[in-house]
Amino acid sequence: MVATAHDDCLPDIVDLLLDAVFLVDTDGRIVYVSAACERMLGYTPQEMIGRELFAFLAPEDRARTVAEASEVIAGRARIGFDNRYVHKDGHRVHLMWSARWSERDRLRIGVARDVTELKHAEAIQRATYAISEAAHAAEDLDVLLRGIHRIIASLVPVAGLALATCDNRTGKLSFSYQRDRHGHPLALYEPVACEFCAQVICGGRPPYLGDLAQAALSGDAAASAGDGGWLAMPLIAHNDTIGVLVLKVDSGVRYSDKDKELLHFVADQVAIAIDRAQLQADLRRAARFDELTGLPNRRLFNERIKSVLARCARSQSGLAVLYIDLDDFKQVNDSLGHASGDLLLQEVARRLQRCVRGTDTVARLGGDEFVVLLEDVHTPEDARAVADKIREAVSHPIDLDTCVLRTQASIGIAVYPEHGQEVERILQHADAAMYADKRNRSSQAM
């Protein structure tokens, strides 16, 4: 019966077709394939006949292809089904199928067309839209990178993805994202990986490294050969390299030139998206944090105290606000210059943070004015104890490179609910208490 199907139904002219014709038996084995298969998949007909068609199928498409084959065997002709096969050299080939079942011959008859070029063009367009949407929808960089990981995984098979970005101030590389295909942390030996990425940026390394690099980057000297490799692509935005995109590749997977072209295009889009996300994050940070000290600014402090006050009202707990002003700070600026004044403020900010808990907030309101928000304060004495600790810390000598300064802090304390139940009232009390403390200290000095 097989010979009849071959001899009568498929004359030699079939081998001249650009599309490949397959005959597959009930066991899924190829009984005939036309010569076009070699151009598509790299295998000669002799290498494919007798083997299961699914042996050439990309693993990620197996489940839905099995379901499609069942539809065909059930007598439902299918037109336009597409899936991916593995070329002899390892890269993926997109095929589009028309298939029907021959009950007389007990064979699936399929005609496959290579649509890799079409899929490549569609993938570029789809990736552009997807990355753009991810960049606009992402709340932060980590969310954006998870979205980018999903987009890349939909385009090519990847075992894992990592992203090394450059610090805007120091230029140092660090990995802001590293996950495997399941979302688990990727085994990456960062000292070697950062050096590898730095060399990729400088052009000192090829973009693809195989087995030895696999062992080095994962920090496993005993990693076996054939365990895959890494593909690294510099991320360039506005002619500046902002990082490196690193893909972990499974053993046996080889990206075609078209795949690499697609990935480099995606890397360009990723660079633009990350650069935009970092700029937006910088703008958001500038709107909420003090540029000089890195502390929350007045706006963020007001948001936090309102939130804490609402919690305290619900839980019947207390809070305290310490309003802090440095004595004679203007004289430092006038006599030593604003650069020395800035160093003084930065050191005071560090000392204030060391005096409070991680749940508390230290903010700079402007100039030499700082404020501390203490949560879960049980008694006014607790707040005074923190104020005494701050006075002690600030009074220690401060080395400003050109000289050593001693400074003092005037501190006003307001406690909720004793000194007010609204934000404005609490802050007014703390401010007034600070000036009273300053006057008292000034009179004692006389």
Side-chain angles (χ1 to χ4, degrees):
M1 185 63 69
V2 171
T4 301
H6 184 183
D7 295 340
D8 298 339
C9 300
L10 298 172
D12 292 340
I13 196 171
V14 170
D15 286 341
L16 298 177
L17 296 177
L18 296 178
D19 296 342
V21 177
F22 286 80
L23 299 183
V24 182
D25 66 18
T26 54
D27 294 326
R29 295 186 179 278
I30 302 168
V31 299
Y32 169 81
V33 60
S34 63
C37 69
E38 186 171 5
R39 185 185 67 257
M40 290 182 181
L41 300 176
Y43 296 95
T44 65
Q46 291 74 24
E47 290 176 300
M48 300 188 76
I49 291 173
R51 297 179 63 183
E52 288 189 359
L53 180 60
F54 287 173
F56 303 93
L57 184 68
E60 58 269 24
D61 285 352
R62 182 179 180 88
R64 66 189 192 90
T65 303
V66 169
E68 185 71 14
S70 298
E71 290 288 311
V72 174
I73 293 173
R76 289 181 280 273
R78 309 293 285 174
I79 298 176
F81 175 77
D82 66 89
N83 55 8
R84 289 164 290 186
Y85 284 76
V86 182
H87 192 277
K88 192 174 183 178
D89 67 9
H91 77 267
R92 262 52 173 177
V93 178
H94 287 265
L95 298 183
M96 181 173 287
W97 292 85
S98 296
R100 69 174 180 83
W101 173 251
S102 172
E103 183 62 33
R104 184 192 68 177
D105 302 315
R106 305 293 295 170
L107 295 171
R108 274 185 287 147
I109 303 172
V111 179
R113 173 168 295 181
D114 187 345
V115 292
T116 304
E117 291 286 345
L118 176 62
K119 290 294 182 180
H120 176 72
E122 291 176 351
I124 287 179
Q125 185 179 49
R126 188 167 62 250
T128 302
Y129 289 143
I131 293 172
S132 178
E133 289 180 0
H136 283 92
E139 298 175 356
D140 54 42
L141 186 58
D142 186 64
V143 173
L144 172 61
L145 294 176
R146 290 201 300 270
I148 287 171
H149 192 165
R150 288 192 296 270
I151 292 166
I152 292 176
S154 72
L155 300 174
V156 295
V158 290
L161 182 141
L163 181 84
T165 51
C166 298
D167 185 275
N168 291 334
R169 290 169 294 181
T170 66
K172 290 184 177 180
L173 282 166
S174 62
F175 280 87
S176 51
Y177 181 89
Q178 43 183 316
R179 292 285 185 273
D180 65 15
R181 59 164 58 90
H182 305 296
H184 302 143
L186 187 63
L188 200 64
Y189 186 52
E190 289 202 21
V192 174
C194 285
E195 180 182 353
F196 166 56
C197 290
Q199 293 176 357
V200 169
I201 290 175
C202 297
R205 288 270 192 175
Y208 178 81
L209 293 180
D211 301 326
L212 293 177
Q214 169 84 355
L217 291 179
S218 63
D220 183 5
S224 61
D227 196 27
W230 301 85
L231 178 69
M233 293 162 289
L235 299 175
I236 303 172
H238 310 298
N239 296 321
D240 290 328
T241 302
I242 64 171
V244 178
L245 187 67
V246 183
L247 275 61
K248 184 180 180 183
V249 186
D250 281 322
S251 176
V253 173
R254 291 294 180 267
Y255 295 147
S256 67
D257 291 339
K258 286 295 182 183
D259 289 335
K260 292 178 182 178
E261 178 186 334
L262 173 60
L263 288 171
H264 280 289
F265 172 82
V266 169
D268 290 341
Q269 302 304 306
V270 168
I272 294 171
I274 290 174
D275 184 61
R276 185 187 300 122
Q278 289 178 330
L279 176 60
Q280 291 173 344
D282 289 344
L283 291 174
R284 286 194 295 270
R285 180 172 180 81
R288 296 163 64 84
F289 290 86
D290 175 54
E291 182 179 4
L292 178 65
T293 63
L295 296 176
N297 61 14
R298 185 184 296 271
R299 173 183 293 180
L300 181 54
F301 173 78
N302 286 335
E303 291 177 6
R304 289 188 179 176
I305 191 173
K306 289 177 183 177
S307 176
V308 172
L309 188 60
R311 278 203 304 275
C312 290
R314 290 194 300 269
S315 63
Q316 300 296 305
S317 58
L319 68 80
V321 171
L322 310 184
Y323 210 106
I324 303 167
D325 183 86
L326 301 183
D327 297 340
D328 302 322
F329 176 72
K330 186 175 183 300
Q331 293 180 9
V332 175
N333 275 341
D334 292 344
S335 60
L336 300 178
H338 288 282
S340 294
D342 289 348
L343 291 175
L344 173 61
L345 293 172
Q346 289 171 337
E347 178 57 27
V348 169
R350 285 190 286 269
R351 294 185 183 189
L352 292 177
Q353 287 178 299
R354 289 196 292 266
C355 290
V356 300
R357 301 161 299 181
T359 55
D360 300 323
T361 297
V362 179
R364 182 189 177 206
L365 302 184
D368 62 330
E369 294 182 348
F370 296 86
V371 65
V372 175
L373 173 61
L374 303 175
E375 298 192 41
D376 295 322
V377 174
H378 301 292
T379 66
E381 286 73 22
D382 293 337
R384 283 193 283 271
V386 176
D388 291 340
K389 186 177 180 181
I390 288 174
R391 286 193 182 95
E392 173 69 15
V394 171
S395 67
H396 290 171
I398 298 175
D399 188 354
L400 299 182
D401 294 335
T402 57
C403 65
V404 176
L405 284 182
R406 288 181 178 272
T407 189
Q408 301 290 327
S410 297
I411 304 176
I413 303 174
V415 177
Y416 168 86
E418 287 87 339
H419 298 137
Q421 299 188 27
E422 299 176 350
V423 171
E424 293 76 12
R425 182 63 179 163
I426 294 170
L427 294 179
Q428 287 172 1
H429 186 94
D431 186 41
M434 184 273 294
Y435 280 108
D437 184 52
K438 188 180 288 289
R439 287 193 299 271
N440 182 52
R441 290 162 52 78
S442 178
S443 63
Q444 289 179 354
M446 292 180 181

